[in-house]
Amino acid sequence: MGIKRSLLLISIFSIVAISACARPPSDITDTPESPDSTPESPDSTPEAPDDDYSPNAPDEAADGYAPPPEAPTPSATFTILPGGSYPELDQICGATDYPIECVRFISPYLNDSIKIDPLNVLKVGIHVATNMTIEALNLAIKIREDPEISPNAQSCLRVCSENYDLIPDGNELALRAIEERNWSDLRNQLSGDLTSVNTCIDVYHEGNLASPMRDMDSDLLALYRVLLHIAVDMVKF
Ligand SMILES: *[C@@H]1O[C@H](CO)[C@@H](O)[C@H](O)[C@H]1NC(C)=O
Ligand SMILES: *[C@@H]1O[C@H](CO)[C@@H](O)[C@H](O)[C@H]1NC(C)=O
Ligand SMILES: *[C@@H]1O[C@H](CO)[C@@H](O)[C@H](O)[C@H]1NC(C)=O
């Protein structure tokens, strides 16, 4: 019931948003996604090798992002702090589809004074998701200001900014739903956030453009799938 409704919302959302930046494949050629449009690209992310874990599982694999062979475009990555080691977190994350991302994103914000159970991991994870989204939003806004970028890239970035912009409020409502022990609202808010991330991915896919935020988006997607998994399967109010 609730899940079906969310899925329906997801599809409607995507269709509406995609039309905002899709374009005929014929004008792909005149759109250099200038490599320097991502100033803080591959800098100091120590965990980069983790990437062979491939967070974007089978469904949204790399095909949509395939950059033109002669001009590979860089993708920005999140700055993620090193985290501690917590057996309880390993166990919770191990039950999700993205155990490595789960530990990597959440462990930096745990400490010995936090009881590590699914509910607290979920709460911390939602805060992490807000911070990561703000980082992605700031980057999208910054790239948009680059006068060199094409109108199509600009309209994709606009769709992404608008969608990232919805996420912090969605996360606040998710945290409120936790306080109110409103499980269905919690699930709906998190699904809505996941949809926002997917919408940003989809516009680039449809527009045949390589997204400068594609690595960030796949990290956010992994995090939201982890959060939804914890919320749906592990949290009992
Ligand atoms: C532990 O983490 C929580 C949440 O991240 C924070 O509020 C708290 O100050 C931290 N405590 C210590 C002792 O670092
Ligand atoms: C989120 O960002 C704020 C401000 O930069 C920081 O103080 C806080 O520790 C961060 N929290 C998490 C969980 O990432
Ligand atoms: C949960 O929240 C929704 C939306 O805010 C509300 O309509 C619903 O009545 C709430 N359910 C419960 C059990 O509080």
Side-chain angles (χ1 to χ4, degrees):
M1 17 146 269
I3 290 181
K4 276 195 196 128
R5 197 183 318 141
S6 309
L7 286 178
L8 181 63
L9 274 178
I10 287 170
S11 9
I12 293 171
F13 241 96
S14 310
I15 291 162
V16 170
I18 283 168
S19 54
C21 122
R23 70 218 167 97
S26 54
D27 58 320
I28 289 171
T29 43
D30 63 5
T31 313
E33 275 268 299
S34 59
D36 40 18
S37 61
T38 47
E40 64 243 298
S41 39
D43 54 7
S44 56
T45 306
E47 289 87 354
D50 277 358
D51 282 350
D52 58 11
Y53 175 71
S54 179
N56 36 7
D59 46 352
E60 61 279 303
D63 57 336
Y65 307 132
E70 71 281 8
T73 59
S75 172
T77 52
F78 288 115
T79 38
I80 292 167
L81 302 172
S85 172
Y86 305 93
E88 307 94 322
L89 180 67
D90 292 345
Q91 199 183 351
I92 293 167
C93 290
T96 73
D97 291 336
Y98 300 88
I100 294 173
E101 287 79 0
C102 173
V103 168
R104 184 172 148 233
F105 298 147
I106 293 173
S107 64
Y109 300 98
L110 298 178
N111 55 49
D112 292 334
S113 55
I114 299 178
K115 178 167 181 280
I116 300 178
D117 59 17
L119 193 57
N120 282 336
V121 168
L122 182 60
K123 287 188 199 168
V124 171
I126 292 172
H127 284 296
V128 172
T130 297
N131 281 11
M132 285 168 64
T133 305
I134 291 170
E135 198 176 330
L137 175 62
N138 288 339
L139 177 68
I141 291 170
K142 190 165 163 187
I143 300 174
R144 255 175 93 182
E145 286 164 357
D146 180 348
E148 301 284 298
I149 70 167
S150 71
N152 285 315
Q154 199 146 39
S155 86
C156 287
L157 283 163
R158 184 173 46 75
V159 172
C160 287
S161 317
E162 286 169 1
N163 277 278
Y164 292 149
D165 207 31
L166 300 172
I167 292 180
D169 286 346
N171 284 344
E172 280 310 309
L173 292 172
L175 289 169
R176 196 200 295 171
I178 290 176
E179 296 316 315
E180 293 171 353
R181 299 293 186 256
N182 188 329
W183 187 76
S184 67
D185 206 27
L186 168 62
R187 216 182 36 181
N188 287 338
Q189 293 302 337
L190 293 177
S191 313
D193 291 342
L194 180 69
T195 302
S196 298
V197 179
N198 266 320
T199 304
C200 173
I201 293 173
D202 287 348
V203 287
Y204 277 97
H205 189 119
E206 288 295 307
N208 260 311
L209 291 177
S211 166
M213 277 107 40
R214 59 192 180 275
D215 288 347
M216 287 180 154
D217 285 335
S218 65
D219 278 351
L220 279 171
L221 214 50
L223 179 55
Y224 273 108
R225 290 195 172 135
V226 164
L227 297 179
L228 266 167
H229 189 117
I230 294 174
V232 170
D233 283 356
M234 299 185 213
V235 169
K236 299 280 174 277
F237 290 152

